[in-house]
Amino acid sequence: MDEPKDIKLFGSARSGYATLVHHALRLKEVSYDYVNVDLKNKSEEFLRMNPVHKKVPVLVVDGKPIAESLVILQYVDETWKKHPIMPQDPYLKSKVRFWADFIYQKIVPQTYVIIQSEGEAQKKAVEELFGLLGTLEDGVKRELHVQGSLFINGLKRGLLDIILGGCRNVLKRMEGLHGLKLLDEKQIPLLCSIMDAYAELDFVKETDEMLSQYAKA
């Protein structure tokens, strides 16, 4: 089957979810056009692409739209075989999906709780986040991480590395805006090490620089 020829990503410079898709496409060396969506004034074209959720990101491949970042990431991996981001082993693949879902369903919502609270309520919310991050650290170390390696699956950057890289951006931004310490190397040394190594990759730096220009506009 021929590879898709017309790839367009609808996103926002401030969307962590869209950033994940940028990273996956660039990791796989896929050429694509980027459309920065004005979230306050969404175009009719964009709304036609995602009429259900009306949110970024949306990946349009040869005129066919795919919505929701985790769905898109798995589609990208199945469509472009170069630099796979999912393990071939079905059991390991199930574990990656489990922990990806854990981040989406548990950790991400907890960051919103922190942002929307203050005082003692915020302090409690931060403690709950630490607990969730500790659970993730233990699970990744026990079930997936190749000991002594930069990334979860040795030198290969995978789905969880991409998602953790996105988490790092969000948590660092929250630290700056709210004066919090959320990434503690003493509590989650493995996750912090993976996130920091991922942030140093060339395609990650290039993406972040490109998106920062859109954010300033």
Side-chain angles (χ1 to χ4, degrees), residues 4-17:
K5 295 179 174 60
D6 183 18
I7 301 103
K8 186 180 294 184
L9 174 61
F10 288 80
S12 167
R14 293 180 174 82
S15 169
Y17 292 118

Side-chain angles (χ1 to χ4, degrees), residues 8-11 15 17-18 20-21 37 42 45-61 63-76 104:
K8 186 180 294 184
L9 174 61
F10 288 80
S15 169
Y17 292 118
L20 304 183
V21 181
V37 177
K42 297 171 184 174
E45 180 189 15
F46 171 72
L47 293 174
R48 284 197 304 272
M49 297 298 176
N50 190 5
V52 178
H53 296 297
K54 301 179 176 63
K55 295 179 180 179
V56 296
V58 175
L59 185 69
V60 182
V61 180
K64 299 176 181 177
I66 304 107
E68 297 298 300
S69 59
L70 198 52
V71 175
I72 295 171
L73 291 171
Q74 294 183 57
Y75 171 87
V76 167
Y104 270 65

